Amino acid sequence: MIDQETIVLLLKGVNNVTWQSMFMIGVSFVLMYLAIAKDYEPLLLLPIAAGCMLANLPLSPMIAEDGMLKVLYNMGITNEMFPLLIFVGIGALTDFGPLLENPRLVLLGAAGQFGIFMTLIFALLLGFTPNESASIGIIGAIDGPTSIYVSGILAPHMLGPITVAAYSYMSLVPIILPPIIRLLTSKQERMIRMPYSSRKISRRTRIMFPIVVTVLVGTLVPFATPLIGMLMLGNLMKESGAVERLTKASAAEIANTVTLFLGLAIGSTMVGSEFLKTSTLFILVLGIVAFAVDAAAGVMFAKVLNWLSGGKVNPIIGAAGISAFPMAARVVQRVAQEDDFENFLLMHAMGANAAGQVASVVAGGVLLALMGAGG
Amino acid sequence: MENLEWGLKMTVLGMGLVFSLLGLLWGLLTLVLVLDKEPSVPVSAKEAIAEAERIAAVADDAVGAQVPEPATVNGMPADLVAAIMVATMKHKLTLRRQAAPFMRSYWPGSKMFASRWVATGRVRQNYSWQPRGK
């Protein structure tokens, strides 16, 4: 017959089920639903959901000292390697042509980072420490790898909720941006048409761009060097055309593999006992605030540019300065066409959007510098 | 209160630094473009949108760019383009149906009228079923 000890061993898993772990498994199902049925960031949300589920199963060996998820976390999150490798892929897929055609749009990218610092203040007022507040604020970069990089250095214990918030809100760009744009602009402003002029960007300039940006940003904000360096490395490989195999690998195979590892490792941090806190709720709410303030600041700054240029800048392109390339630009174009079907702003919005991509990395580096961390 | 003061200081410093850096980048890029001496030519919105769509399509593959965003065709929502296409085809069919009576040699009901099926059969009757030359 089976003795009492064997029965206890057999039921060890069931005996260790907690309401927190069950709740988190439920959260992982919601994330899976969003990824599979709603198509919200499936590449990242599905591995995160899987990591969350695996980590919350009772006595999960996956998060034990030598468990696979723990090894992945130590391999790429603790030393910030995964987000940086993803940045190489993003650089290899991003064409900064629209920004190079109209460099003044870079200022819209800067304005689109205001939410980071505003949210930092709100988080401080809610009782978070300065490092935690900066990590929450960085959700306003609307840039997944930057959020992971900065929060991984400043507040690693908050990495899970911050990453989930950052990527989930990026998926909600088409839902969050239009009401903010409509609230802050009049119909007349939204109907402003911007003329197009195409400047042929030579290969030399396209190659010089990533080098100039890396040297400039790296010299002035050394804390941003890893982020900007990897982003621009990907872009340099793409624009040089000399290493097509590496470019393709960075944008596809490497990015896909790292995304899977990153998602699983982030998901493994969402253990019920750590995740289910009031602070998580605050992080999710403050993330939305950061996003909204970013978009609002971008639109308001574009209004100033419109006034300075004598009505030649459509203020709604400011909302594309929040990074989230290229979806924010597409949303801006859609909003413009709701009022005037023949108003084509996509190229201008893409310029602001590309500027936001660079600006979010710069803001991340500036934040690290101000907090005296990283490097 | 102390926290608020510190936060405001960080905001002013942070945004100041971000603007200064990107302003510097603006200047440098403008200088590079001036040295490049490539002329700026006006292009149509259609050309610009096609180019922007090409760039966006490449970037759509990046992680963090997957959005349940409705597809577009040259800047127009794909649903709208599909609806226009269906309407155009329907309109074409209607025109064809309306034009049909004018295209007929004989009106239905006349002894000379024959449906396509009957007409084809009559034509076949005019051909010999026997192999040629026999």
Side-chain angles (χ1 to χ4, degrees):
Chain A
M1 286 299 287
I2 305 172
D3 59 12
Q4 189 70 26
E5 198 180 336
T6 312
I7 291 172
V8 170
L9 280 174
L10 283 172
L11 292 176
K12 208 174 174 185
V14 181
N15 288 335
N16 279 283
V17 171
T18 60
W19 72 267
Q20 289 100 329
S21 60
M22 285 296 103
F23 186 87
M24 288 312 293
I25 289 173
V27 168
S28 77
F29 291 161
V30 173
L31 293 178
M32 281 180 199
Y33 170 76
L34 289 176
I36 298 166
K38 294 288 180 184
D39 211 22
Y40 283 168
E41 295 293 344
L43 286 182
L44 207 79
L45 280 194
L46 194 61
I48 286 179
C52 173
M53 188 177 70
L54 291 169
N56 283 287
L57 290 172
L59 304 173
S60 177
M62 306 282 283
I63 50 169
E65 199 49 47
D66 292 322
M68 180 192 157
L69 297 180
K70 190 77 180 170
V71 170
L72 282 178
Y73 185 85
N74 291 334
M75 191 171 89
I77 306 285
T78 315
N79 54 20
E80 308 296 340
M81 188 173 70
F82 287 164
L84 295 179
L85 283 176
I86 286 191
F87 250 159
V88 181
I90 293 175
L93 287 169
T94 307
D95 188 334
F96 288 99
L99 175 62
L100 287 167
E101 281 182 27
N102 199 353
R104 70 178 168 159
L105 293 177
V106 86
L107 295 177
L108 289 176
Q113 310 308 315
F114 187 62
I116 296 176
F117 297 96
M118 211 59 213
T119 309
L120 183 149
I121 295 177
F122 292 145
L124 282 171
L125 292 177
L126 283 171
F128 287 97
T129 65
N131 274 5
E132 287 174 344
S133 304
S135 299
I136 297 169
I138 201 64
I139 300 174
I142 323 285
D143 186 20
T146 305
S147 302
I148 296 170
Y149 183 83
V150 173
S151 58
I153 291 172
L154 296 178
H157 58 285
M158 290 165 75
L159 199 56
I162 286 175
T163 308
V164 171
Y167 276 101
S168 307
Y169 297 155
M170 276 167 74
S171 307
L172 297 178
V173 166
I175 297 164
I176 298 172
L177 276 194
I180 295 171
I181 294 172
R182 284 193 208 104
L183 189 73
L184 295 172
T185 54
S186 64
K187 192 173 179 183
Q188 281 73 27
E189 284 174 324
R190 291 196 295 274
M191 286 173 72
I192 294 174
R193 292 189 182 187
M194 294 175 71
Y196 281 106
S197 64
S198 179
R199 195 198 308 251
K200 189 179 176 298
I201 308 295
S202 69
R203 186 164 171 254
R204 186 179 51 192
T205 304
R206 283 179 180 274
I207 292 173
M208 275 178 70
F209 174 74
I211 298 171
V212 167
V213 172
T214 307
V215 173
L216 178 75
V217 177
T219 307
L220 297 175
V221 193
F223 292 98
T225 303
L227 290 167
I228 203 77
M230 292 299 105
L231 181 71
M232 290 300 147
L233 167 66
N235 193 247
L236 178 63
M237 291 197 300
K238 172 185 182 282
E239 298 299 351
S240 71
V243 285
E244 210 167 310
R245 282 167 53 180
L246 294 184
T247 311
K248 278 185 183 168
S250 304
E253 290 87 358
I254 295 175
N256 291 340
T257 312
V258 173
T259 302
L260 175 64
F261 290 172
L262 180 76
L264 285 170
I266 297 287
S268 74
T269 63
M270 295 165 67
V271 180
S273 52
E274 297 290 318
F275 197 86
L276 293 174
K277 292 176 182 167
T278 325
S279 62
T280 304
L281 198 65
F282 282 141
I283 292 169
L284 296 176
V285 173
L286 286 169
I288 283 268
V289 172
F291 193 157
V293 175
D294 273 347
V299 172
M300 295 313 286
F301 190 76
K303 275 189 169 207
V304 175
L305 287 186
N306 180 43
W307 176 69
L308 289 174
S309 65
K312 286 178 185 162
V313 175
N314 189 319
I316 73 170
I317 66 165
I322 61 162
S323 192
F325 186 85
M327 72 183 87
R330 284 219 168 108
V331 172
V332 164
Q333 168 65 31
R334 209 176 64 200
V335 174
Q337 284 194 321
E338 281 170 11
D339 290 309
D340 176 4
F341 191 70
E342 293 194 345
N343 195 2
F344 297 103
L345 294 174
L346 187 60
M347 196 54 127
H348 300 292
M350 292 271 282
N353 212 181
Q357 185 84 21
V358 177
S360 64
V361 173
V362 171
V366 165
L367 203 57
L368 284 174
L370 291 174
M371 305 308 296
Chain B
M1 205 60 197
E2 198 180 307
N3 271 350
L4 183 66
E5 195 183 318
W6 182 83
L8 284 171
K9 209 186 285 176
M10 288 294 120
T11 304
V12 173
L13 258 173
M15 283 311 288
L17 273 169
V18 171
F19 265 104
S20 313
L21 263 168
L22 292 172
L24 199 59
L25 184 63
W26 172 25
L28 268 175
L29 289 180
T30 309
L31 186 69
V32 169
L33 288 171
V34 167
L35 293 174
D36 209 27
K37 290 175 185 167
E38 288 288 351
S40 179
V41 287
V43 293
S44 69
K46 199 178 166 187
E47 286 169 309
I49 214 98
E51 174 65 6
E53 280 289 351
R54 187 192 61 75
I55 294 168
V58 175
D60 277 341
D61 284 342
V63 179
Q66 292 83 38
V67 170
E69 174 78 350
T72 58
V73 179
N74 290 336
M76 284 159 68
D79 289 350
L80 184 66
V81 174
I84 291 171
M85 206 171 149
V86 169
T88 310
M89 288 168 73
K90 189 84 182 162
H91 181 60
K92 202 175 165 187
L93 275 176
T94 308
L95 282 180
R96 199 169 171 184
R97 206 170 293 136
Q98 285 172 344
F102 301 104
M103 305 299 281
R104 284 177 185 147
S105 304
Y106 302 101
W107 285 83
S110 86
K111 284 186 179 176
M112 301 298 282
F113 172 77
S115 69
R116 196 174 289 178
W117 173 259
V118 173
T120 309
R122 284 178 186 167
V123 170
R124 284 172 67 90
Q125 281 175 349
N126 288 331
Y127 288 104
S128 169
W129 56 272
Q130 284 185 326
R132 285 171 188 246
K134 290 194 176 177

